[in-house]
Amino acid sequence: MKYTETLKNIHHSLDRLGDLPVFSATINRIQQISASDEGDAMALAMAIMKDAGLSARLLKLANSSAYKRGQGNISVISRAVVLMGFNRIKSITLTLKLIESFHDTHPDLDVPGMMMRQFLSANIAKEIAVRSQQHVDPEEAYLAALLFGLGEIIVACTLPDEYRKLLALKKSSDKRWPLIQAEVLGISFNALGREMAAGWGYPKQVLNTMSDLDMTQLDEQSNLLTSLPNLCNGLVHQIYGQDLRNEHPYDQLVDSIANVSGIPFDDVGEVAIQCFRQVSKISRTYGLKAQLLIPEYTESGSEAKDTVVRKLAFLAHDEAEQEEPEVNEADVQVAEAHALCSQGQLDYLNRLTELIGSEGKIHDIFKLVVEAIHQCSDFDRSLLCLLNKKRDHLSVKMIEGDEIDALQGYFERGKNGKDDDLFFRVIEKQVTLLVNDLDEEGWSSRLPKNFVTQAHCQGFVLIPLVMGSRVIGMLYADRLKGHGAVSDNDFNIFNRFATQTRLALMYADSKAKR
């Protein structure tokens, strides 16, 4: 299968499933606030409280023995944010939404087991970062390791037949696992995860950690943050027998972790056991079962590995036996299924799929996307802007909706070295900007004054458009002043059609290189 065909099939499947909670407006908002120098605890708490299921789970975790440190009962989100910290809240939130996204998908493919292993890997990476001689943010290490296996999870959930084929080949073929992935999908899991995460607006420091690694080149001078996700995932795969041909031996992985982090060889195994114990105790609060953590113990020939796996198997069995039936699960677990697209959205998505599949003109695809966003959501206006070759001037190429003259007048502009260059900077950084409500979180004073007075909007979202490695413009939609804030549903619809735009640009770039 070709790389472009794989991406097309994945995006088509995601369109049917609806937007994944892990890439929801809530996550987007939390990332923006926690990354901003002007973000505060109340702004972050307000963003979390808009998701009732997330709020309930977060409070339950905040009051668990793993996170509570004698501060009394935590009953409000804002206090949880202050006591636990921005970065830890962001890590926990992403973990909860990842589990919500994929937990019940294709039971025969052990997706919950994959997520449990990612959870364990993330905790190991975090603890090693804490103990390391290098100055690495533990929460950054946690997030990078958590997202490292994203490509495999997405393939299992969106292309289950292809994933079953991959697993069969893994058992029968002598080829390396990444090579099998590339032959079947046209791309490796790591590269696919990096591609998807980039499209969903995750920062470059996270994307840089989702690359293949040559362990023979690692030493004490190597970058710990970019190395840890790969090494910790490899370590967990070894513990659970996922590395069938021993491509990355346990002792070699532990030795590499020890060299890069400065932690003694024997201490790495102790870190794994400590994190395993912690994960098994809080797994139910995250919506996972401790049984998923039980490794199969067999003699491997590595004394260090066999000792660790034997201890982990005992701990996991002991924890699983202590699990009690969950009585109030409905109070903390989001039970809502993904809402089906309206018929109008489906019609537009089908038309776009046909256009992209038949290699239709990019102009026609852009026009249909701008129209679809306006017609299928509560956005009052939608537009597409393109940059000139020097990337110092924006031009509005397509626009739909009410009161469009003032908005078009604002975005028809060149760089001027003033506040209005904000939108050029956002586009160049290739990050999604979501402002739900200009009246909240001080947005009116943080955005360019000319934009606030001229655009006359209540909330907006924009996403940069990239073709190959070049930023070419942006897709934008907003709600007029007094018409209400941008809702999660608005954002999800916008993101759904933005995904189609990215796919079209990917095809166009591929065609141009032929």
Side-chain angles (χ1 to χ4, degrees):
M1 185 183 293
K2 290 184 178 180
Y3 160 59
T4 51
E5 185 181 350
T6 293
L7 284 176
K8 177 183 174 181
N9 291 339
I10 287 173
H11 285 300
H12 184 66
S13 180
L14 291 177
D15 288 338
R16 293 198 317 273
L17 292 169
D19 289 285
L20 301 175
V22 72
F23 304 113
S24 67
T26 302
I27 292 295
N28 191 288
R29 234 177 359 249
I30 289 169
Q31 288 199 109
Q32 286 180 12
I33 295 169
S34 58
S36 171
D37 294 335
E38 300 177 19
D40 58 23
M42 187 53 67
L44 184 57
M46 288 174 66
I48 293 169
M49 286 188 291
K50 291 178 180 179
D51 188 322
L54 175 62
S55 298
R57 271 202 190 281
L58 191 57
L59 283 177
K60 187 172 182 180
L61 276 169
N63 285 290
S64 70
S65 59
Y67 295 104
K68 194 173 180 181
R69 294 292 184 267
Q71 297 98 343
N73 186 58
I74 301 172
S75 58
V76 292
I77 294 294
S78 57
R79 185 160 184 254
V81 172
V82 171
L83 294 176
M84 299 172 75
F86 272 35
N87 287 336
R88 175 168 286 186
I89 290 291
K90 187 167 72 170
S91 300
I92 293 173
T93 300
L94 183 58
T95 304
L96 288 170
K97 299 303 273 186
L98 183 68
I99 292 167
E100 180 187 337
S101 295
F102 299 117
H103 186 251
D104 295 322
T105 310
H106 303 293
D108 67 305
L109 297 181
D110 189 32
V111 175
M114 289 186 215
M115 290 190 302
M116 185 65 99
R117 291 189 287 274
Q118 287 305 128
F119 189 27
L120 176 58
S121 173
N123 278 272
I124 293 173
K126 177 180 175 180
E127 182 61 25
I128 289 173
V130 169
R131 299 190 185 199
S132 172
Q133 298 172 7
Q134 292 194 32
H135 297 292
V136 173
D137 186 333
E139 298 300 335
E140 282 191 24
Y142 176 97
L143 286 174
L146 184 71
L147 288 171
F148 187 82
L150 182 63
E152 181 171 7
I153 293 173
I154 286 177
V155 171
C157 294
T158 61
L159 305 175
D161 292 338
E162 282 81 0
Y163 187 69
R164 292 184 184 97
K165 179 180 178 181
L166 282 164
L167 292 180
L169 287 172
K170 184 179 181 181
K171 291 181 179 178
S172 62
S173 174
D174 293 329
K175 296 178 181 177
R176 295 181 67 250
W177 183 219
L179 181 59
I180 294 172
Q181 299 160 22
E183 288 182 350
V184 174
L185 302 172
I187 186 172
S188 69
F189 289 150
N190 284 356
L192 176 62
R194 191 167 61 249
E195 182 80 32
M196 301 297 287
W200 278 309
Y202 280 86
K204 288 184 178 178
Q205 61 263 35
V206 172
L207 304 180
N208 290 339
T209 67
M210 302 172 77
S211 302
D212 293 322
L213 192 68
D214 183 356
M215 285 192 293
T216 63
Q217 300 299 315
L218 295 177
D219 56 30
E220 64 275 5
Q221 301 299 320
S222 299
N223 186 295
L224 183 63
L225 182 60
T226 57
S227 307
L228 266 183
N230 201 312
L231 293 172
C232 291
N233 271 267
L235 185 68
V236 171
H237 277 205
Q238 270 287 337
I239 290 171
Y240 285 92
Q242 303 291 312
D243 188 355
L244 299 182
R245 275 173 296 284
N246 208 31
E247 294 176 16
H248 302 293
Y250 178 89
D251 289 354
Q252 184 183 3
L253 284 161
V254 174
D255 193 50
S256 294
I257 293 172
N259 285 338
V260 178
S261 66
I263 298 172
F265 183 97
D266 291 340
D267 287 3
V268 175
E270 291 305 313
V271 167
I273 293 170
Q274 173 188 325
C275 293
F276 187 95
R277 184 180 287 111
Q278 180 183 2
V279 167
S280 65
K281 288 186 179 299
I282 63 173
S283 57
R284 266 200 316 134
T285 310
Y286 273 99
L288 296 168
K289 294 185 181 298
Q291 281 185 324
L292 297 169
L293 274 173
I294 300 174
E296 182 180 351
Y297 176 66
T298 56
E299 294 286 344
S300 69
S302 165
E303 183 179 352
K305 176 183 175 180
D306 293 346
T307 299
V308 168
V309 173
R310 185 170 59 250
K311 290 180 180 180
L312 297 186
F314 174 81
L315 289 171
H317 277 289
D318 185 56
E319 190 65 35
E321 288 175 2
Q322 296 179 37
E323 281 191 334
E324 299 175 0
E326 297 190 34
V327 177
N328 297 316
E329 180 66 15
D331 294 335
V332 294
Q333 185 173 14
V334 175
E336 300 176 357
H338 296 293
L340 292 173
C341 292
S342 68
Q343 188 59 48
Q345 289 180 57
L346 286 173
D347 289 343
Y348 274 109
L349 288 169
N350 287 335
R351 289 165 63 187
L352 284 166
T353 301
E354 290 175 6
L355 262 178
I356 295 170
S358 62
E359 298 186 348
K361 294 180 180 178
I362 197 71
H363 174 275
D364 295 338
I365 294 170
F366 284 161
K367 187 174 186 299
L368 193 58
V369 165
V370 172
E371 177 187 320
I373 291 171
H374 179 243
Q375 293 296 328
C376 297
S377 70
D378 288 331
F379 285 116
D380 296 301
R381 301 176 294 194
S382 58
L383 65 80
L384 180 135
C385 287
L386 294 181
L387 286 166
N388 64 353
K389 289 184 178 179
K390 294 182 179 180
R391 293 194 288 187
D392 60 3
H393 192 277
L394 274 172
S395 298
V396 177
K397 297 300 181 183
M398 294 161 193
I399 189 167
E400 290 270 343
D402 305 318
E403 300 181 26
I404 60 176
D405 291 342
L407 186 68
Q408 182 167 357
Y410 178 80
F411 279 118
E412 288 278 357
R413 68 167 52 255
K415 281 186 177 180
N416 58 14
K418 299 180 181 179
D419 290 345
D420 295 300
D421 285 354
L422 168 72
F423 291 100
F424 286 95
R425 293 195 294 272
V426 169
I427 295 170
E428 288 166 2
K429 288 183 178 180
Q430 300 182 32
V431 294
T432 299
L433 177 59
L434 170 65
V435 178
N436 295 80
D437 191 339
L438 265 68
D439 293 336
E440 290 184 358
E441 303 164 13
W443 277 112
S444 293
S445 59
R446 292 159 62 186
L447 293 167
K449 184 178 180 181
N450 289 337
F451 171 78
V452 174
T453 56
Q454 196 170 334
H456 197 63
C457 70
Q458 190 71 49
F460 70 89
V461 59
L462 75 81
I463 188 166
L465 299 177
V466 180
M467 186 169 178
S469 59
R470 184 168 61 91
V471 182
I472 64 169
M474 71 174 188
L475 193 60
Y476 168 100
D478 69 14
R479 299 205 69 187
L480 286 165
K481 190 73 174 177
H483 286 202
V486 176
S487 68
D488 283 2
N489 188 53
D490 291 332
F491 177 81
N492 289 341
I493 293 171
F494 178 89
N495 202 35
R496 193 169 293 141
F497 289 112
T499 297
Q500 295 293 319
T501 311
R502 293 192 196 102
L503 186 59
L505 287 170
M506 195 179 305
Y507 280 157
D509 181 58
S510 177
K511 183 179 178 182
K513 291 176 179 177
R514 289 175 193 166

